[in-house]
Amino acid sequence: MSDAKGQDRNARIGLSRPSARLELKPKTVESGTVRQSFSHGRSKQVAVEVKRRRVVRRGVGESQPETAAETRAETAPAAPERSERTEPPAPARRERVVLKTLTEEEKAARAKALAEAKKAEEEARRRAEEAARRAREEAERRRAEEEAAARRKAEEEARRKAEEEARRKAEEMAKRLLAEEEAKRRAEEEARRKAEEEAERRAKAAEAAAKAVRPEREIEDEDEEIEREAKRAKGRPKVEKKAAPKRLEIRDLKKPLRVILSEDEEEERGRSLAAIRRQRERERMKQRQMGGPQPVVREVVIPEAITVQELAARMAVRGAEVVKVLMKNGIMATLNQTIDADTAELVVAEFGHIPKRVSEADVEEGLEGRPDRPEELRPRPPVVTVMGHVDHGKTSLLDALRHTDVAAHEAGGITQHIGAYRVDIGSGMPVTFIDTPGHEAFTAMRARGASVTDIVVLVVAADDGVMPQTVEAIRHAQAAGVPIIVAINKIDKPEADPERVKTELLNHGVVLEEYGGEVMAVPVSAVKRIGLEQLIEAIQLQAEILDLRANPNREAHGTIIEAKLDRGRGPVATVLVQNGTLRVGDIVVAGAHWGRVRALVDDRGQLVESAGPSTPVEILGLDGVPEAGDKLVVVESEKRAREIAEYRQRKKREQEQRLATAPRSSLEEMFAKIREGELKRLPVVVKADVHGSLEAIRAGLEKLTTGEVGVQILHAAVGAITESDVTLAKASGALVIGFNVRANAPARELAKRDGVEIRYYSIIYELLDDVKKMLEGMLAPEAREQILGHAEIREVFNIPKVGKVAGCMVTDGVIRRSARVRLLRDGVVIFEGNIGSLKRFKEDVREVREGYECGIAIEGYQDIRQGDVIEAFEVQEVARTLTA
């Protein structure tokens, strides 16, 4: 039975029978047996079949089983044998496969199809990425819009709350003010009512005393009449009157005899003038107490300084009364003595008047005029300052714009003055350029140029890069808060590297537009005239953004750019008109000087009748040379111009005196060193052509001063060298320095006769270098010690009348007779002195070299021992230099 079942199972799973070897390749079923154990101790053997799915490939006709199989475990007993057995299917007939060679067209078609498929795949991927990017951008935009909406909503909410709070506070303030006004009104009504009652109560007393009260002028006239009467009485002859004997009363018995006699003499002599005045003063005081007329209360104007007499006149009182009040307050003053405003205010308050303090500075009130209304403003040209390092081509760039050659006429090829020019390119508004020096000594000029400008053009050489004065110009522009346009010059040179310039500018906070900043950069070449039009367009674009406006229909206001003293024209000042219009004949105030404009000269040297906003002109007619940087203002009259100039000159003198007398420890120490000879000074007299150069020279000379030597500037002014300058230099032993100026003929003759040295310079760094060399020559030389050699004492000889002599062996170097020596014992210096004698055998020698014996006697020292070492050295003096 079991055999039949096994045969049936074999037939079912496709295994061959013993009689007929029917096989199916490959096998799709694998079988086996597994013994299964149970928990109660019984076990059972089960059959396991593994079936594989047959995969038929097209075109081949051959089936292959998959590796994945389905496992089935039979836990039940085997099924009974079937009556009919299913025959396995016959294997498919294997067809023969013939490979066909592809033609070139098919290969090309397949390659083309592959390329198109790849291209389609790339396009699909690109479109997917683009869609994803757009989705991200859309999400970011929506998120930004939501954040902006939330921020606007928060701002609106905060603004609404602030407005509500401000409205609430305003309402509370209004209510409080109304309450205060009501209380004040009630208090005034109560005070008025009481004053009326008091006035009505005193009316009757005032009527009774009205006849006796007279004006103060009548009292003074009466006093004068009393004095004249007293003088006349002194001139009349005395009339002897026989006086009746005085009858003594009981109350007189208690008085001393001298009192009784003095009263008798007084009755005979009559009342004195002082007694009469005292009586009238008592009567006036009594009338005031009884409710008589109140004195007049005046408003007394008190300046910063006033005489006692003038103060009494303003209060309408006698000067003696003012002096009396001052004496009561412990101030001894006469009528012509000047008192300060605080003291005068106390006196005025004591007399019952109202003091009103005024200052001398009030003369400058309203000098700037009223502010301009928006409808009066008109567009004006931009003011552009060209800044940068020395020799980077600032003036050459301006020359290329103006078609001139200013740089060729500058001494040393560097700019040493501020120049102002106007460039008109034919389209748009003209541009006013201010050229500043690039040398380090002209720091004040660059700062002044940046303070009056609208735009700064920073010139950087493409072959040199950012330099120290370039960084300083950037700092000046940033401090003035003006926009910067970078002009990268000299791009025509082979070694030019504009990219390096842009990178270096980033390190100093100048971010160009191509790097995401707001600073425009224009590559230019002044020599080849490259990029000039682009530079002007960039300047005009920046000016349009700034929207520069001014009012040409008002009095002129401007700034002094430069000033000098011309031999033929007198004081000449270069002015940049910033607002209004300056005309010939206007009365102007410039710093501490004033004058009437006699002529206006433009940057081309042509005479003009007027100059509008942003126009540089030279003016003639001032009474002195103003300082660069002073403000120029047109005033209405010569009187006011003179008052303002005198006030400013007075304040300037006071400031100079205050600085001269101010206690400064460093200055006192310097003077003490000068007196002791520790500090050496080089006195100089400096004359320059313009104030800006003089300012730079003073600053450069002051930087050369050290703790040992220094420059003492006795006098510094603008103009030619005169005889007074030579006389001052002669008296103080000073050097006269002329910068772009010359001495006149009398001054030259006087300097030649008195031996005064005059030096002329046209380049500032040459002047500073020469003065530095002079100061270095005044420095004490530095002492440096040089070891010559050593000698070991081998024996000590005691020679009569000479002393001890050391027998030595020169171990290294050389021992010279003129050298100084040290005596060393166990490495310690015992004595330092000079050589008394140096001998070899019995001969005096100048020097003894290494490896030779000699005899050495030390001058003024006898305590020498065997084994000591003599060290010879020389002291050399080396010239010192001023450290930067």
Side-chain angles (χ1 to χ4, degrees), residues 808-830:
C808 305
M809 169 65 72
V810 180
T811 57
D812 64 84
V814 61
I815 305 296
R816 292 176 182 166
R817 172 70 179 80
S818 60
R820 291 179 60 82
V821 293
R822 293 190 186 95
L823 184 63
L824 307 179
R825 185 173 297 164
D826 297 330
V828 180
V829 178
I830 302 300

Side-chain angles (χ1 to χ4, degrees), residues 29-43:
V29 178
E30 294 180 359
S31 64
T33 59
V34 176
R35 180 172 294 277
Q36 185 176 8
S37 298
F38 298 96
S39 61
H40 47 76
R42 294 179 61 186
S43 62

Side-chain angles (χ1 to χ4, degrees), residues 238-257:
K238 295 183 179 180
V239 180
E240 297 291 338
K241 293 184 179 180
K242 189 175 181 181
K246 183 177 180 180
R247 182 180 177 181
L248 297 176
E249 298 180 357
I250 296 175
R251 64 176 181 271
D252 296 333
L253 297 176
K254 298 180 180 181
K255 299 179 181 179
L257 180 60

Side-chain angles (χ1 to χ4, degrees), residues 33 59 143 216 247 280 463 522 546 595 604 607 625 671 695 709 721-722 734 766:
T33 59
R143 185 168 59 254
E216 189 175 356
R247 182 180 177 181
R280 291 182 178 176
D463 60 337
V522 182
L546 296 175
R604 301 283 180 176
L607 292 175
V625 181
F671 286 149
E695 186 181 41
V709 294
I721 300 173
T722 60
E766 292 182 357

Side-chain angles (χ1 to χ4, degrees), residues 191-207 290-292 294:
R192 191 182 303 109
R193 185 181 60 79
K194 290 182 179 181
E196 291 176 356
E197 292 177 357
E198 184 69 19
E200 187 177 355
R201 185 179 64 79
R202 294 181 179 180
K204 294 182 181 180
E207 291 177 2
M290 292 175 61
Q294 298 297 324

Side-chain angles (χ1 to χ4, degrees), residues 220-403:
E220 294 179 358
D221 294 342
E222 184 178 349
D223 293 343
E224 293 176 0
E225 183 65 27
I226 293 172
E227 292 176 1
R228 288 195 297 271
E229 184 63 28
K231 291 179 182 179
R232 285 196 299 270
K234 288 182 181 180
R236 290 196 296 267
K238 295 183 179 180
V239 180
E240 297 291 338
K241 293 184 179 180
K242 189 175 181 181
K246 183 177 180 180
R247 182 180 177 181
L248 297 176
E249 298 180 357
I250 296 175
R251 64 176 181 271
D252 296 333
L253 297 176
K254 298 180 180 181
K255 299 179 181 179
L257 180 60
R258 56 183 179 81
V259 176
I260 299 174
L261 293 176
S262 63
E263 289 178 354
D264 294 342
E265 292 176 359
E266 185 179 352
E267 289 179 359
E268 292 179 1
R269 186 172 61 251
R271 298 179 65 187
S272 64
L273 181 61
I276 296 173
R277 288 177 176 172
R278 285 195 297 271
Q279 181 182 0
R280 291 182 178 176
E281 184 67 25
R282 285 193 296 271
E283 290 176 356
R284 284 195 289 269
M285 293 295 295
K286 187 176 180 180
Q287 291 172 4
R288 293 193 187 101
Q289 293 175 1
M290 292 175 61
Q294 298 297 324
V296 180
V297 178
R298 296 179 173 86
E299 186 180 52
V300 181
V301 178
I302 304 174
E304 294 181 356
I306 188 173
T307 62
V308 175
Q309 184 68 37
E310 186 179 357
L311 181 61
R314 295 187 180 188
M315 293 190 297
V317 297
R318 289 181 296 179
E321 296 181 6
V322 178
V323 173
K324 189 186 297 183
V325 172
L326 290 172
M327 293 176 65
K328 286 180 182 179
N329 289 279
I331 301 174
M332 306 302 294
T334 61
L335 292 177
N336 296 326
Q337 188 170 342
T338 302
I339 58 176
D340 57 8
D342 295 333
T343 305
E345 186 176 359
L346 293 175
V347 173
V348 171
E350 190 163 345
F351 275 94
H353 299 296
I354 301 174
K356 181 181 179 182
R357 296 282 294 269
V358 295
S359 174
E360 291 185 356
D362 293 343
V363 297
E364 295 186 344
E365 284 188 1
L367 190 61
E368 297 295 332
R370 63 172 179 81
D372 296 321
R373 291 190 292 270
E375 59 270 12
E376 296 176 345
L377 300 178
R378 300 289 182 271
R380 66 172 178 85
V383 179
V384 180
T385 298
V386 182
M387 304 177 75
H389 193 71
V390 61
D391 200 26
H392 274 200
K394 300 181 294 298
T395 306
S396 300
L397 182 61
L398 281 179
D399 290 341
L401 292 171
R402 299 176 64 238
H403 303 283

Side-chain angles (χ1 to χ4, degrees), residues 122-141:
E122 292 290 335
E123 182 67 20
R125 184 167 60 254
R126 187 186 62 79
R127 291 181 180 178
E129 292 176 355
E130 182 69 19
R133 184 182 62 79
R134 290 180 180 176
R136 287 196 302 271
E137 291 179 354
E138 182 67 19
E140 291 177 358
R141 184 182 62 79

Side-chain angles (χ1 to χ4, degrees), residues 389-463:
H389 193 71
V390 61
D391 200 26
H392 274 200
K394 300 181 294 298
T395 306
S396 300
L397 182 61
L398 281 179
D399 290 341
L401 292 171
R402 299 176 64 238
H403 303 283
T404 58
D405 191 12
V406 176
H409 299 86
E410 289 282 0
I414 64 171
T415 302
Q416 303 181 104
H417 310 83
I418 280 187
Y421 315 102
R422 190 162 185 165
V423 178
D424 189 358
I425 62 171
S427 62
M429 299 191 69
V431 180
T432 299
F433 284 97
I434 298 177
D435 186 15
T436 61
H439 194 270
E440 61 178 350
F442 296 94
T443 300
M445 282 193 186
R446 287 191 293 275
R448 187 161 58 246
S451 63
V452 299
T453 189
D454 301 317
I455 302 170
V456 169
V457 172
L458 184 65
V459 179
V460 185
D463 60 337

